[in-house]
């Protein structure tokens, strides 16, 4: 009984110590949560509030679902669908190409090649927006260098189209996928391949029954990340295509600037709310995939 009482007192003392340390440390995270509240919570709350503010014909403001319904119908629904299609196509192509390049780098026996690819991928993954658009226009635009050299206009190719946007997005998404999937490929232990080979498994059987199932969460997580990256991109498409390709990011920009109709700011916020909902769905898929991947490769 005495030993039991001593152990109980020791456990209680340890718990009190943990609680005291927790109380002393929580002020350290106050700046972080203050930053989140100011830079994320306040804009998100303002957007969600004003998205449901509707101005009637008399000019009186009220609350309703008019902006949300308008954002999901007509030309705005076309823009949302166009953004989703562009993001899906770009994400799939970037995932496949990035995974193949990363696998080639991992299996390479030249450390210098790996360092060069990783460094270049880090640079190219951050080269997007207006500078990327101008670089593509100078290279593959109507009077671009490669357009004239290869007579691309005779083939029907146009940079200012859906295909041109996919090509431009892949420029920074493939390097991003390489950087994202490299740690997962490094996590495939050599011992697994040796064990499979010692059991008589071929290289194809190893990848079919071990490699691909283990890497699937990481690849899917990378694909979801690519989708989110393409879905949120705006500057590259704005400079390259203007409004010729319907995208929700461009429609939001036009509504906020009053390029089409004046007084559509709340409609733009409703479209932004649609994007936030899709982004939350993407995060809801990506987070479990990341946890599953970390459990296998950690």
């Amino acid at each position: 009984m005495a030993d039991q009482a001593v152990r109980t007192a020791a456990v209680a003392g340890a718990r009190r110590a943990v609680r005291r340390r927790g109380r002393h440390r929580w002020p350290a995270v106050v700046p972080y949560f203050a930053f989140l509240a100011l830079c994320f919570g306040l804009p998100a709350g303002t957007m969600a509030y004003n998205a449901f503010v509707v101005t009637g014909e008399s000019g009186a403001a009220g609350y309703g679902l008019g902006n949300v319904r308008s954002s999901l119908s007509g030309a705005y629904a076309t823009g949302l669908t166009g953004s989703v299609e562009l993001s899906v196509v770009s994400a799939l192509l970037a995932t496949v190409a990035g995974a193949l390049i990363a696998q080639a780098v991992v299996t390479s026996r030249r450390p210098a090649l790996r360092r060069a690819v990783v460094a270049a991928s880090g640079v190219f993954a951050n080269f997007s927006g207006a500078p990327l658009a101008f670089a593509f226009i100078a290279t593959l635009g109507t009077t671009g260098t490669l357009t004239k050299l290869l007579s691309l206009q005779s083939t029907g190719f146009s940079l200012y189209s859906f295909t041109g946007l996919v090509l431009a997005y892949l420029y920074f998404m493939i390097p991003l996928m390489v950087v994202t999937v490299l740690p997962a490929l490094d996590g495939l232990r050599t011992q697994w391949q040796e064990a499979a080979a010692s059991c008589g498994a071929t290289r194809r059987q190893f990848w079919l029954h071990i490699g691909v199932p283990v890497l699937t969460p990481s690849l899917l997580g990378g694909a979801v990340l690519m989708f989110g990256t393409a879905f949120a991109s705006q500057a590259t498409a704005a400079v390259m295509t203007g409004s010729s390709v319907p995208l929700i990011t461009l429609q939001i920009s036009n509504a906020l600037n009053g390029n089409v109709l004046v007084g559509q700011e709340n409609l733009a916020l409703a479209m932004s709310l649609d994007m936030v909902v899709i982004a939350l769905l993407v995060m809801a898929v990506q987070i479990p995939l990341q946890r599953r991947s970390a459990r296998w490769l950690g």
Side-chain angles (χ1 to χ4, degrees):
M1 292 294 292
D3 293 342
Q4 181 66 28
V6 170
R7 283 195 294 271
T8 304
V11 171
R15 289 177 177 173
R16 284 195 296 272
V18 170
R19 285 197 293 270
R20 283 197 297 272
R21 286 198 297 270
R23 284 196 294 271
H24 293 159
R25 291 173 180 174
W26 72 263
V29 298
V30 169
Y32 172 72
F33 285 107
F35 175 81
L36 281 183
L38 181 63
C39 297
F40 180 75
L42 183 60
T46 304
M47 176 192 66
Y49 175 78
N50 288 321
F52 295 98
V53 175
V54 182
T55 303
E57 295 181 355
S58 61
Y63 298 100
L65 298 174
N67 292 325
V68 177
R69 280 196 292 265
S70 299
S71 69
L72 296 174
S73 61
Y76 302 117
T78 304
L80 181 60
T81 304
S83 290
V84 172
E85 290 177 350
L86 177 63
S87 303
V88 169
V89 173
S90 303
L92 289 177
L93 294 176
T95 300
V96 174
L100 293 176
I101 294 173
Q103 175 61 19
V105 171
V106 168
T107 55
S108 173
R109 297 181 179 178
R110 298 179 179 179
L113 175 63
R114 179 189 176 96
R115 290 195 294 270
V117 171
V118 171
S121 297
V123 174
F124 294 148
N126 291 285
F127 186 68
S128 60
L132 176 64
F134 285 125
F136 266 80
I137 291 173
T139 306
L140 294 171
T142 306
T143 58
T145 306
L146 285 182
T147 304
K148 291 182 176 178
L149 287 176
L150 303 178
S151 301
L152 292 179
Q153 283 191 317
S154 62
T155 65
F157 172 79
S158 174
L159 182 66
Y160 315 110
S161 62
F162 184 90
T163 304
L165 277 181
V166 171
L167 195 62
Y169 280 18
L170 290 179
Y171 183 86
F172 61 89
M173 289 173 62
I174 290 177
L176 180 60
M177 185 64 191
V178 171
V179 176
T180 302
V181 80
L182 260 180
L185 291 172
D186 285 333
L188 274 182
R189 297 180 176 87
T190 308
Q191 295 87 337
W192 296 351
Q193 301 184 33
E194 294 174 350
S198 64
C199 293
T202 62
R203 190 174 182 82
R204 178 179 175 276
Q205 289 173 326
F206 168 78
W207 281 105
L208 185 63
H209 298 288
I210 300 176
V212 172
V214 170
L215 290 176
T216 296
S218 299
L219 294 176
L220 290 178
V224 171
L225 177 63
M226 297 302 107
F227 175 88
T229 301
F231 191 65
S233 296
Q234 187 266 342
T236 303
V239 175
M240 280 181 53
T241 65
S243 298
S244 60
V245 177
L247 297 176
I248 189 171
T249 51
L250 303 181
Q251 291 173 336
I252 291 174
S253 176
N254 291 333
L256 288 175
N257 294 329
N259 290 341
V260 181
L261 293 174
V262 179
Q264 298 296 311
E265 293 83 3
N266 290 344
L267 176 59
L269 295 177
M271 288 189 283
S272 302
L273 187 62
D274 298 337
M275 291 190 67
V276 169
V277 171
I278 293 177
L280 291 176
L281 293 176
V282 169
M283 291 176 63
V285 174
Q286 186 186 16
I287 292 175
L289 291 173
Q290 284 183 335
R291 289 178 178 172
R292 187 177 179 86
S293 176
R295 186 174 60 190
W296 275 103
L297 302 172

